[in-house]
Amino acid sequence: MTPFVSPAAAALWERIPADSNWVFGPLALCKHPAGIDLRHRDDAGLDASGLRSIALTDLHALSQVDALGRFRPNKASPNLVRSWFHVTPDAPALEAALDALLPGGLADWYAVHSASTAPISWQHYADRQTGMYRNVAALNEPEAEDIARAGCHPHCCTRQRLWTVGERPPETSIEKSVVPCLEPCALLLELARREQKTQATEDRSTLILTQSELSILDNLFKCALEHPDASLREGDLSSPGNPRRILLLREKLLPWLPAKALGRAH
Ligand code: SF4
């Protein structure tokens, strides 16, 4: 019996270029004599003889934890384990592999590809929140922009943010990948909740630093992001060492930083 080919899988299969790697979230997709080769985007172009072949049935387990065995709450995070590859023979198998590695990625890509959805604005999303998240609507526009830049920074996520915040345009696929993000995820929402609570309840201090001291501070941000505490979990936003919280503090200081050590998210 011929397997069912969904319109999304068929469209994606056709869209993958014949002669180059195509970055899809944390993955690189590439045409292969036996179908489509999937692997970590940072392994694109590497000889497969140096990578381990992973079966379809093992892809889900592979996507669950990072190289240190910590749970990955965001399957679009670049912290996907490296040094493996998987070859899918046809479009249904490609869909099954993507379901295991990046749930929702194909459906969201197809929704944008076929122009059947419209991303929402931060304020619209925030106004819908209830319970412990209802106060995120009180964040002002600059605060919400800082949260979006920090929470969705390429260091943390490979999805292209299409939902809008303030006057800031959505991200481009060149900055991230063609896998869109249509509305804020749970990690972003939790970052926003903590930030709103902090702004509403904590005292402020005044600090005066020289340019040299600011350069040191920016290098410290870079070190903290490149060498995080191995015991920290990505989803633990209560930890001051969480990368999204470090990036959020850096966003606030960015107007005064030399902005050379890490670059800026859009
Ligand atoms: S809200 Fe940001 S961090 Fe969350 S999935 Fe979308 S782009 Fe990624």
Side-chain angles (χ1 to χ4, degrees):
M1 192 170 73
T2 309
F4 170 72
V5 183
S6 72
L12 186 72
W13 188 272
E14 287 303 312
R15 179 64 188 80
I16 297 168
D19 52 1
S20 60
N21 286 287
W22 199 49
V23 175
F24 193 83
L27 306 167
L29 309 184
C30 172
K31 285 259 161 68
H32 180 281
I36 299 292
D37 176 307
L38 293 86
R39 56 180 68 187
H40 192 291
R41 59 197 282 168
D42 293 341
D43 292 334
L46 293 186
D47 194 311
S49 63
L51 309 175
R52 65 196 163 106
S53 173
I54 296 275
L56 176 61
T57 48
D58 293 329
L59 289 178
H60 176 75
L62 180 90
S63 74
Q64 295 302 300
V65 294
D66 66 12
L68 295 175
R70 298 171 300 186
F71 178 66
R72 297 175 65 236
N74 175 16
K75 301 300 183 275
S77 170
N79 67 1
L80 177 66
V81 169
R82 291 186 55 183
S83 302
W84 56 273
F85 74 99
H86 173 75
V87 177
T88 58
D90 51 30
L94 175 62
E95 183 166 17
L98 290 175
D99 274 350
L101 290 165
L102 184 60
L106 174 59
D108 288 345
W109 173 81
Y110 188 63
V112 172
H113 178 76
S114 57
S116 60
T117 189
I120 64 171
S121 70
W122 162 259
Q123 203 56 52
H124 180 78
Y125 175 82
D127 288 343
R128 258 181 12 204
Q129 301 307 309
T130 57
M132 67 188 282
Y133 292 109
R134 68 187 182 285
N135 289 338
V136 298
L139 288 162
N140 63 34
E141 211 167 82
E143 289 168 343
E145 288 187 9
D146 281 349
I147 289 163
R149 280 197 301 268
C152 306
H153 194 281
H155 183 88
C156 303
C157 187
T158 61
R159 278 187 186 251
Q160 174 194 4
R161 179 180 57 74
L162 292 186
W163 51 270
T164 55
V165 51
E167 298 301 311
R168 190 154 286 276
E171 295 172 334
T172 67
S173 60
I174 294 171
E175 297 163 68
K176 295 283 204 64
S177 80
V178 296
V179 179
C181 173
L182 303 175
E183 69 173 36
C185 68
L187 288 170
L188 197 286
L189 183 59
E190 177 60 10
L191 183 68
R193 185 189 72 82
R194 288 195 164 273
E195 178 62 7
Q196 191 281 326
K197 192 174 171 195
T198 298
Q199 293 298 328
T201 59
E202 292 190 8
D203 293 336
R204 288 164 173 73
S205 306
T206 303
L207 182 66
I208 297 175
L209 296 175
T210 66
Q211 274 300 307
S212 299
E213 289 166 335
L214 286 166
S215 290
I216 293 169
L217 196 54
D218 204 15
N219 273 296
L220 288 174
F221 285 132
K222 183 170 183 274
C223 287
L225 291 166
E226 289 181 354
H227 308 286
D229 180 343
S231 67
L232 282 182
R233 289 178 296 109
E234 184 183 355
D236 182 5
L237 286 153
S238 66
S239 167
N242 184 285
R244 282 180 169 83
R245 290 190 60 189
I246 293 172
L247 284 160
L248 182 53
L249 175 59
R250 186 174 182 273
E251 280 300 327
K252 294 179 188 175
L253 299 179
L254 208 51
W256 297 277
L257 294 178
K260 289 182 185 139
L262 189 64
R264 166 157 216 166
H266 296 267

